């Protein structure tokens, strides 16, 4: 990404437009932005960050100043930026949220944050503006613009400040941050989510397999425990024992079966003997029962004889009954004919009287006909006045419509008045709330600044106290380590001297006069050495003291380094505290007042748009006037409709004056006509019906008299027939010698004669058979004795119980043996499967553990990948650091010991060639720290662009830090840094420097100058 042109509108207290054209500067490669401290140089890049991502407007000084200075200006603060990305050029424009004057009335309202993004590749750079924007990609929606910008660039606001814009001091914080914080930053820059997802997938798969194996072994143990076995060997022993029990149970089954067979045979013989005696008892009981029924069957024989006599009387009895029925029917018919004759005579008299009455009312028929003719004339009048009636009904409809319109106009006018009053009240309340909110927001912002300063001072003070304590502890440890080092050195020298003396004494013992000394080569030995002690032990003591001295020296160097680092940290903390303003009151007091201000703002509720409310008040006022006008028009329309309705009603009344009021409704009149005609027809029909009724009733009376005479004759004939049949019936009773009562009692048995005869025959047959059965049963028993059955039955039951128990025990033993064998087979198969699964999944589980950090380096796959990328960053950074420091320093990753194992984290040290050992970052001087941070930032930018295809870093910016170089080695360090930056420019990108150092301005003349004045800062181009 290469910035082309930045424009800040309404910048400063007096408005105006400030534009920065980067074209020639970026083409020059290395350029600068120079100005005195506090001139707002960094606000230019804050504006770039805000234009791209819409973030930092409240935190960055430039945008914040730009917005706060604008409080009373009539223009809107606006930031726009053109930038190149490859062959494309884009234009992003933003208006931050800010107060602005209302369009109507006094006061201010809030302008919401808005953003636009355009493709302006086909538009000339100088022609691009709000009115010439090229192809729109996203408009007004802040979220859409931010998302598209991030997709185009390949990074967000956080990464922008880390790899594109290198703010003052920020990358130094990245340089000295711990491994955990640096890991989070690098995780965002280098997408290693694939390794994390792969590790999680392997962990889940391995956990599932491990759980399956553990569950399988646990289930096998549970199944063994459920059967009462602790191991597979016990299960095998249990199977053998179960088989032995099964064989024993089979022998018991055979023995109990033989006993049961003997008992059953004895019981069967006893049962056969008992059956003979049972048959004797049964035959005697059956005979006794039949002989007891002899009286009953004698009675049956008597019933059969009576029934046969009654059957001979049945024909005469039936004839007598029929004669009596015919006589009763004749009596009923004679009575009915007599009643019918009386009714017919009465009906004829009534018909004659009704006909006479109707004939006396014939004059009313003529009157009714004249009335119908008169109502016909009224109907014609109504027909002739139909047009007048239609006019009146139309006038009535118009009157109703006018009344409804008048009522609606009244309701609309009242509603408009109420709405106008409510909206006016809301507008007044919103104006009051806006004024109060503006005062509260100003008070809140001041309290927030004061609270932030107090919290910063408190944090800095606490950090200073902690740094002081750490320095005191480090200094004490350094002094102690130095003392121990001194003592260890003295001990080393003493042990070495003892060892050398012992060695010399050994050599002295072997010296001979005239023989050269093996040490000095001399032949004279005037003063041979003397010493005591075992040379081997003394050498061992010397070597131990020497190792202890070296270890103490290392501990001393490390302690001195920690003390130096702690001192540097303490001095930095002291400088931080001295730069901060001491708060005039406590944090709790400031926070309480700040919370009260927030509560007061929240109490006011949401922010009302006063301009919109004013516009709505005007709209409601216009609506009120409109409804009043419509009400006047409705009143006029109602008066006209009332007049027309009255005239039409009077004209219609005059036309139908001759028609009675009760008949002026055509429907009512027609109903009256229809009713009169129906009454006339009814009267005429009644006379005709009465004449016909009189004739038919006279004929019915004559017919009824004839029927009565016939019925009387038939009754006399039936009475004679009854007397004859009764005489014949009584003669037959005497002839058979049976009374009528006996006959009547025997009638039901007539139909049972065959059944009674059959039961008598059957009884006689059964009685003879029972007597023969008794004789045969007594002959079969003879002289034998009856056996006792209970002992035989008890013996069989006991044998059966024993046999059943033996069979059940045998089945249980067999089932137990079979189930244990099945369990052994099943467990063997399951163990084989589990062992196969455990063996086949070993590689997967081992890989999952290694990826999850369970390895010699105690490092996860994701951390390892990030570490590998970080090694590339350090290599790229060393390419910058080496020439900047004259080959003295190189970055290297630190190796720490965790639990007895080495672990490579993301901590960084610098290897000092002069001392031959690594140094902590915090031991570097200010200029060296800046160079190291700059080198690491440039290396990170190189690797990010190399590994992330979507990220292009055509231009990077470096904010300050050069002031720490201008006094070192007569600006030699600065020359080295600038030379490295010039090399970067020569490769593929532009570099912008923000500085107030004159040497930097001299070395890099191209760029911009920022002049600070009473009306704000002004930017001037410095291009050669």
């Amino acid at each position: 990404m290469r910035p082309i042109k930045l424009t800040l509108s309404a910048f400063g207290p007096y408005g105006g437009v400030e534009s920065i054209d980067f074209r020639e500067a970026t083409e020059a490669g290395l350029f600068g932005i120079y100005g005195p401290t506090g001139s707002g140089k960094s606000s230019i890049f804050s504006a770039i960050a805000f234009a791209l991502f819409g973030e930092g407007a409240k935190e960055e000084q430039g945008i914040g100043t730009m917005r706060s200075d604008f409080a009373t200006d009539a223009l809107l603060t606006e930031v726009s930026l053109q930038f190149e990305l490859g062959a494309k050029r884009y234009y992003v424009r933003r208006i931050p949220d800010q107060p602005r004057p209302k369009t109507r009335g006094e006061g201010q309202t809030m302008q919401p944050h808005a953003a636009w993004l355009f493709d302006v590749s086909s538009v000339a750079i100088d022609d691009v503006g709000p009115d010439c924007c090229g192809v729109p990609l996203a408009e007004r929606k802040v979220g859409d613009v931010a998302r598209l910008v991030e997709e185009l660039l390949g990074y967000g606001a956080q990464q922008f400040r880390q790899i594109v814009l290198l703010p003052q001091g920020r990358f130094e914080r990245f340089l000295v941050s711990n491994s955990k914080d640096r890991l989070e930053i690098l995780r965002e820059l280098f997408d290693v989510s694939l390794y994390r997802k792969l590790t999680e997938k392997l962990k889940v798969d391995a956990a599932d397999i491990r759980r399956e194996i553990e569950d399988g072994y646990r289930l096998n143990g549970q199944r063994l425990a459920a059967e009462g076995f602790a191991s597979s060997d016990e299960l095998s022993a249990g199977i053998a024992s179960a088989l032995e029990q099964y064989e024993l149970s089979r022998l018991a089954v055979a023995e109990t079966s033989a006993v049961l067979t003997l008992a059953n045979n004895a019981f069967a013989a006893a049962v056969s003997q008992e059956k003979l005696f049972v048959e004797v008892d049964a035959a005697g009981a059956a005979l006794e029962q039949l002989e007891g029924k002899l009286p009953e069957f004698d009675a049956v024989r008597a019933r059969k004889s009576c029934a046969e006599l009654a059957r001979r009387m049945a024909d005469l009895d039936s004839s007598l009954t029929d004669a009596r029925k015919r006589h009763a029917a004749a009596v009923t018919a004679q009575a009915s004919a007599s009643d019918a004759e009386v009714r017919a005579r009465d009906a004829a008299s009534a018909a004659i009287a009704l006909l006479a009455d109707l004939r006396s009312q014939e004059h009313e028929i003529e009157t009714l006909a004249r009335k119908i003719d008169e109502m016909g004339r009224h109907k014609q009048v109504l027909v002739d006045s139909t047009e007048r009636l239609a006019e009146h009904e139309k006038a009535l409809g118009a009157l109703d419509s006018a009344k409804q319109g008048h009522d609606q106009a009244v309701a609309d006018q009242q509603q408009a008045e109420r709405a106008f009053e409510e909206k006016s009240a809301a507008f007044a309340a919103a104006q009051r709330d806006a004024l109060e909110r503006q005062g509260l927001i100003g008070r809140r912002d001041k309290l927030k600044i004061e609270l932030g300063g107090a919290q910063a001072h408190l944090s800095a003070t606490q950090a200073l106290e902690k740094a002081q304590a750490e320095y005191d502890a480090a200094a004490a440890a350094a002094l102690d380590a130095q003392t121990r080092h001194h003592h260890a050195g003295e001990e080393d020298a003493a042990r070495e001297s003892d060892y050398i003396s012992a060695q010399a004494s050994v050599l002295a013992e072997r010296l001979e006069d005239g023989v050269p000394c093996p040490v000095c080569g001399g032949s004279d030995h005037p003063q041979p050495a003397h010493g005591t002690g075992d040379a081997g032990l003394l050498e061992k003591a010397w070597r131990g003291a020497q190792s202890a001295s070296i270890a103490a020296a290392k501990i001393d160097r490390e302690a001195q380094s920690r003390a130096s680092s702690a001192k540097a940290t303490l001095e930095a903390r002291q400088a931080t505290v001295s730069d901060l303003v001491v708060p005039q009151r406590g944090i709790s007091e400031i926070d309480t007042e700040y919370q009260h201000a927030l509560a007061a703002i929240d109490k006011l509720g949401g922010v009302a748009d006063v301009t919109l409310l004013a516009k709505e008040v005007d709209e409601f006022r216009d609506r009120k006037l409109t409804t009043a006008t419509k009400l006047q028009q409705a009143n006029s329309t109602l008066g006209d409709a009332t007049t027309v309705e009255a005239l039409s009603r009077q004209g219609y009344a005059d036309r139908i004056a001759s028609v009675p009021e009760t008949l002026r409704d055509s429907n009512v009149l027609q109903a009256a006509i229809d009713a009169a005609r129906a009454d006339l027809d009814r009267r005429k029909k009644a006379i005709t019906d009465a004449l016909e009724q009189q004739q038919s009733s006279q004929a019915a009376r004559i017919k009824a008299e004839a029927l009565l005479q016939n019925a009387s004759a038939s009754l006399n004939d039936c009475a004679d027939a009854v007397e004859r049949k009764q005489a014949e019936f009584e003669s037959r009773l005497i002839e058979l010698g049976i009374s009528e009562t006996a006959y009547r009692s025997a009638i039901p048995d007539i139909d049972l004669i065959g059944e009674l005869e059959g039961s008598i025959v059957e009884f006689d047959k059964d009685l003879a058979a029972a007597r023969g059965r008794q004789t045969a049963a007594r002959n079969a028993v003879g002289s034998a004795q009856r056996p006792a059955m209970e002992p035989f039955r008890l013996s069989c039951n006991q044998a059966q119980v024993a046999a059943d128990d033996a069979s059940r025990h045998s089945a249980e033993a067999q089932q137990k043996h079979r189930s244990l064998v099945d369990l052994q087979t099943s467990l063997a198969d399951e163990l084989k499967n589990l062992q196969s699964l455990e063996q086949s999944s070993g590689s997967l589980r081992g890989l999952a553990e290694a990826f999850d950090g369970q390895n010699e380096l105690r490092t996860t796959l994701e951390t390892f990948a990030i570490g590998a990328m970080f090694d590339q960053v350090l290599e790229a950074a060393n390419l910058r650091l080496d020439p900047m420091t004259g080959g003295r320093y190189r970055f290297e990753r630190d190796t720490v010991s965790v639990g007895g194992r080495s672990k490579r984290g993301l901590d960084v040290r610098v290897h000092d060639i002069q001392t031959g050992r690594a140094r902590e970052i915090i031991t570097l001087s200010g200029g060296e720290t800046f160079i190291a941070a700059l080198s690491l930032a440039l290396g990170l930018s190189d690797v990010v662009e190399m590994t992330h295809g979507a990220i292009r870093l055509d231009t990077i910016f470096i904010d300050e830090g050069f002031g720490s170089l201008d006094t070192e080695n007569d600006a030699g360090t600065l020359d080295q840094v600038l030379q490295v930056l010039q090399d970067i420019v020569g490769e593929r990108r532009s570099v912008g420097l923000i500085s107030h150092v004159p040497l930097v301005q001299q070395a890099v003349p191209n760029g911009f100058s920022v002049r600070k004045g009473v009306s704000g800062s002004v930017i001037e181009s410095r291009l050669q």
Side-chain angles (χ1 to χ4, degrees):
M1 190 274 291
R2 185 187 300 273
I4 301 300
K5 191 174 183 180
L6 173 69
T7 303
L8 309 176
S9 302
F11 184 79
Y14 303 106
V17 176
E18 191 78 16
S19 296
I20 305 174
D21 194 333
F22 290 98
R23 280 175 286 178
E24 294 187 25
T26 54
E27 291 174 359
L30 190 62
F31 65 94
I33 298 179
Y34 308 116
T37 303
S39 60
K41 303 182 298 298
S42 300
S43 65
I44 296 172
F45 301 101
S46 300
I48 293 177
F50 175 73
L52 289 173
F53 303 103
E55 297 182 4
K58 295 183 179 179
E59 293 78 4
E60 300 292 349
Q61 181 181 1
I63 302 299
T65 303
M66 179 170 62
R67 294 173 60 196
S68 61
D69 289 344
F70 171 70
T72 59
D73 201 347
L75 298 176
L76 288 179
T77 298
E78 181 177 329
V79 180
S80 62
L81 174 68
Q82 290 188 63
F83 62 93
E84 285 183 351
L85 191 64
K88 290 281 189 177
R89 184 159 40 86
Y90 299 93
Y91 174 60
V92 59
R93 175 174 168 237
R94 289 185 185 273
I95 298 178
D97 54 335
Q98 55 192 288
R100 62 170 175 77
K102 299 178 180 177
T103 56
R104 293 186 180 181
E106 299 179 353
Q108 292 183 335
T109 186
M110 288 301 298
Q111 172 69 31
H113 185 186
W116 297 262
L117 178 65
F118 304 92
D119 184 346
V120 293
S121 302
S122 60
V123 182
I125 295 175
D126 295 330
D127 294 339
V128 175
D131 299 328
C132 184
C133 303
V135 180
L137 302 179
E139 297 187 88
R140 287 209 166 268
K141 292 187 177 180
V142 177
D144 292 347
V145 173
R147 177 178 54 79
L148 286 176
V149 169
E150 290 189 13
E151 290 178 358
L152 289 172
L153 298 182
Y155 48 80
Q158 184 72 16
Q159 291 77 21
F160 176 82
R161 292 184 176 89
Q162 293 167 350
I163 61 176
V164 178
L165 173 61
L166 311 180
Q168 181 177 353
R170 285 195 180 180
F171 225 86
E172 293 181 12
R173 288 198 293 272
F174 171 75
L175 181 65
V176 299
S177 60
N178 57 35
S179 288
K180 180 179 179 182
D181 296 337
R182 190 175 289 114
L183 177 65
E184 293 301 323
I185 296 173
L186 294 175
R187 180 181 286 123
E188 293 295 329
L189 292 176
F190 303 122
D191 184 12
V192 292
S193 59
L194 174 63
Y195 302 108
R196 183 172 62 254
K197 294 177 181 177
L198 176 60
T199 301
E200 293 298 327
K201 179 65 169 59
L202 290 178
K203 282 177 61 179
V204 171
D205 293 344
D208 291 341
I209 293 174
R210 189 180 297 108
R211 189 181 306 108
E212 182 179 354
I213 293 172
E214 293 174 354
D215 291 345
Y217 283 121
R218 183 170 54 255
L219 180 60
N220 284 354
Q222 292 175 353
R223 293 179 64 185
L224 282 172
E227 295 294 336
F229 300 108
S231 64
S232 299
D233 294 337
E234 290 188 7
L235 175 61
S236 298
I239 292 173
S241 176
L243 180 59
E244 182 180 358
Q245 293 295 326
Y246 173 57
E247 295 296 336
L248 293 176
S249 65
R250 291 178 60 189
L251 294 176
V253 169
E255 293 176 357
T256 55
S257 298
V259 174
L260 177 61
T261 301
L262 294 176
N264 287 336
N265 292 336
F267 181 70
V271 168
S272 299
Q273 188 68 23
E274 176 65 18
K275 287 181 179 180
L276 296 177
F277 286 94
V278 169
E279 176 61 18
V280 172
D281 296 339
L287 179 60
E288 182 179 358
Q289 182 180 8
L290 290 174
E291 288 177 348
K293 292 181 179 181
L294 287 174
E296 177 184 348
F297 277 89
D298 291 340
V300 171
R301 288 186 177 90
R303 285 178 57 195
K304 173 177 173 292
S305 300
C306 291
E308 291 175 345
L309 293 176
R311 183 169 54 182
R312 297 173 62 185
M313 288 292 299
D315 55 340
L316 293 179
D317 187 20
S318 177
S319 299
L320 178 59
T321 300
D322 292 341
R324 287 175 176 173
K325 288 180 179 179
R326 288 192 296 273
H327 178 265
V331 171
T332 301
Q334 193 271 343
S336 177
S338 177
D339 293 339
E341 188 272 334
V342 172
R343 288 196 300 274
R345 188 168 55 250
D346 294 340
S349 299
I352 292 172
L354 176 60
L355 179 61
D357 182 62
L358 291 175
R359 289 187 183 280
S360 67
Q361 298 176 7
E362 287 180 347
H363 65 282
E364 295 179 0
I365 294 175
E366 297 176 359
T367 303
L368 190 58
R370 288 194 299 271
K371 182 179 179 181
I372 291 172
D373 294 338
E374 184 178 1
M375 286 191 294
R377 291 190 295 272
H378 293 334
K379 181 178 180 181
Q380 187 61 40
V381 172
L382 292 179
V383 171
D384 295 341
S385 60
T386 301
E387 184 177 354
R388 295 287 182 88
L389 177 61
E391 293 176 355
H392 178 244
E393 291 176 347
K394 181 178 180 181
L396 281 175
L399 178 60
D400 291 339
S401 177
K403 287 181 179 179
Q404 293 176 1
H406 178 266
D407 294 341
Q408 183 63 41
V410 170
D412 293 344
Q413 198 271 339
Q414 293 175 350
Q415 182 180 5
E417 287 184 350
R418 288 195 301 270
F420 173 71
E421 293 173 356
E422 293 174 357
K423 189 59 68 176
S424 298
F427 175 64
Q431 287 180 319
R432 293 194 300 271
D433 291 346
L435 293 175
E436 184 177 358
R437 187 187 305 278
Q438 186 175 2
L440 289 173
I441 290 175
R443 178 185 172 197
R444 178 202 63 187
D445 294 341
K446 291 180 180 179
L447 290 172
K448 185 176 181 180
I449 295 173
E450 184 179 2
L451 179 61
Q455 291 174 341
H457 186 272
L458 177 60
S459 299
T461 303
Q462 292 174 347
L464 175 60
E465 294 174 354
K466 181 180 179 181
Q468 182 67 52
E470 292 175 352
Y471 171 69
D472 293 341
L479 180 60
D480 181 66
Q482 188 176 22
T483 303
R484 293 178 182 273
H485 182 202
H486 177 70
H487 291 164
E490 293 178 348
E491 182 68 16
D492 179 25
R495 299 288 77 76
E496 184 180 12
S497 177
D498 293 342
Y499 172 67
I500 292 173
S501 298
Q503 288 288 82
S505 65
V506 172
L507 292 174
E509 291 177 357
R510 297 183 179 182
L511 291 177
E512 298 178 5
D513 293 336
V515 178
C517 175
V519 177
C520 66
S523 300
D524 297 330
H525 314 296
Q527 293 180 348
H530 299 281
T532 59
D534 187 346
L537 294 177
L538 290 174
E539 182 182 9
K540 183 177 181 181
W542 171 50
R543 297 302 182 187
Q546 188 180 41
S547 299
S549 177
I550 294 173
K554 180 179 179 181
I555 294 173
D556 183 21
R557 288 195 301 272
E558 293 177 350
Q560 298 303 324
S561 176
R562 286 193 292 270
S564 177
S565 299
K567 184 177 181 180
T569 302
L570 177 61
E571 291 173 353
R573 299 290 186 269
Q574 290 173 343
T576 301
V577 172
S578 63
D579 291 341
L580 295 176
V581 178
V582 180
Q584 301 299 318
R585 51 181 179 163
I587 293 177
S588 60
E589 181 181 354
I590 301 172
D591 185 62
T592 300
E593 189 174 350
Y594 176 68
Q595 295 299 329
H596 288 167
L598 291 179
I601 294 174
D602 293 338
K603 188 176 180 181
L604 291 177
V607 179
D609 191 340
V610 182
T611 302
L612 180 60
L613 287 174
K615 182 179 179 181
E616 292 176 348
V617 169
D618 294 340
E619 293 176 354
F620 279 104
R621 183 183 292 108
D622 295 341
R623 188 182 302 175
K624 176 183 175 183
L625 295 176
T626 301
T627 55
T629 302
K630 289 182 179 180
L631 178 59
Q632 292 177 357
Q633 295 174 354
N635 287 331
S636 176
T637 302
L638 179 61
D640 295 343
T642 303
T643 301
V644 171
E645 188 275 335
L647 293 174
S648 63
R649 183 175 65 253
Q650 185 62 39
Y652 179 66
D654 294 342
R655 184 69 180 83
I656 62 173
S658 61
V659 180
E661 292 185 2
T662 57
L663 300 178
R664 289 180 179 179
D665 188 337
S666 60
N667 294 329
V668 174
L669 178 59
Q670 185 62 45
I673 293 173
D674 294 341
R677 287 176 176 171
D679 190 18
L680 178 62
D681 295 339
R682 180 182 58 78
R683 289 174 181 271
K684 291 180 178 179
K685 186 175 184 303
I687 293 175
T688 303
D689 292 344
L691 181 60
E692 293 177 355
Q693 182 66 26
Q694 188 265 337
Q695 293 174 355
S696 62
S697 61
Q698 186 66 25
R701 182 181 65 81
I702 296 171
K703 182 178 179 180
E705 290 177 351
L707 290 175
L708 177 59
Q709 292 177 358
N710 293 333
S712 298
S714 177
L715 178 60
N716 293 331
D717 294 340
C718 288
D720 295 341
V722 169
E723 289 180 358
R724 288 195 306 271
K725 294 297 182 181
Q726 181 66 36
E728 291 177 358
F729 178 75
E730 291 175 353
S731 299
R732 180 68 62 83
L733 288 174
I734 295 172
E735 178 182 353
L736 296 176
I738 185 174
S739 64
E740 185 175 357
T741 302
Y743 163 70
R744 298 297 177 190
S745 299
I747 289 176
D749 291 336
I750 295 175
D751 295 333
L752 301 177
I753 291 174
E755 181 180 347
L756 293 175
E757 186 176 1
S759 63
I760 292 170
V761 172
E762 184 67 24
F763 174 74
D764 293 339
K765 180 180 178 181
D766 291 341
L767 181 60
R771 288 172 178 169
R773 177 186 174 189
Q774 184 184 42
T775 302
R778 287 177 178 176
N779 293 332
V781 171
S783 60
Q785 297 294 322
R786 190 168 188 172
M789 297 300 299
E790 191 60 29
F792 292 100
R793 185 178 293 107
L794 180 60
S795 177
C796 285
N797 291 338
Q798 292 175 347
Q800 185 66 51
V801 170
D804 292 342
D805 290 342
S807 298
R808 185 177 69 255
H809 291 157
S810 178
E812 291 175 353
Q814 183 182 16
Q815 180 61 31
K816 178 67 174 178
H817 175 261
R818 185 180 295 111
S819 64
L820 291 180
V821 171
D822 293 342
L823 176 61
Q824 186 181 44
T825 303
S826 175
L827 292 179
D829 293 341
E830 291 180 3
L831 287 175
K832 183 178 179 181
N833 293 334
L834 290 174
Q835 291 170 357
S836 175
L837 177 61
E838 188 173 10
Q839 183 178 3
S840 62
S841 64
S843 300
L844 173 64
R845 289 182 285 114
L847 193 61
E849 292 173 355
F851 284 5
D852 195 34
Q854 301 178 38
N855 48 56
E856 293 181 358
L857 295 179
R858 304 294 295 276
T859 303
T860 64
L861 179 62
E862 180 189 25
T863 305
F864 180 81
I866 292 177
M869 299 299 296
F870 192 50
D871 286 338
Q872 297 182 28
V873 172
L874 294 181
E875 289 298 325
N878 285 330
L879 296 178
R880 316 300 185 192
L881 182 62
D882 185 84
M884 287 185 185
T885 61
R888 179 179 178 180
Y889 294 119
R890 283 184 59 82
F891 286 118
E892 64 179 23
R893 283 174 65 192
D894 194 10
T895 302
V896 298
S897 178
V898 179
R901 296 182 180 180
S902 295
K903 174 183 178 182
R904 297 200 71 191
L906 298 179
D907 290 332
V908 181
R909 291 187 179 186
V910 289
H911 186 80
D912 191 343
I913 302 299
Q914 293 182 0
T915 63
R917 60 188 181 91
R919 296 174 55 180
E920 297 289 343
I921 296 296
I922 58 176
T923 63
L924 299 177
S925 65
E928 291 172 338
T929 301
F930 168 74
I931 291 174
L934 178 59
S935 300
L936 186 59
L938 294 175
L940 181 62
S941 298
D942 291 340
V943 175
V944 167
E945 184 176 15
M946 177 181 65
T947 58
H948 201 311
I951 296 180
R952 295 178 56 88
L953 303 177
D954 299 320
T955 305
I956 62 173
F957 303 96
I958 304 171
D959 186 2
E960 270 299 352
F962 300 98
S964 58
L965 305 178
D966 56 0
T967 59
E968 293 189 9
N969 301 324
D970 295 330
T973 306
L974 177 61
D975 291 340
Q976 293 175 357
V977 172
L978 293 178
Q979 182 59 46
V980 171
L981 294 177
Q982 189 64 52
D983 294 340
I984 296 175
V985 169
E987 293 173 0
R988 62 182 181 279
R989 60 164 67 112
S990 299
V991 178
L993 308 178
I994 309 171
S995 180
H996 64 278
V997 179
L999 292 176
V1000 178
Q1001 300 182 33
Q1002 295 175 9
V1004 185
N1006 288 323
F1008 306 92
S1009 294
V1010 181
R1011 290 190 298 103
K1012 183 169 63 174
V1014 295
S1015 300
S1017 299
V1018 179
I1019 303 172
E1020 296 178 349
S1021 297
R1022 295 180 48 189
L1023 302 174
Q1024 296 183 355

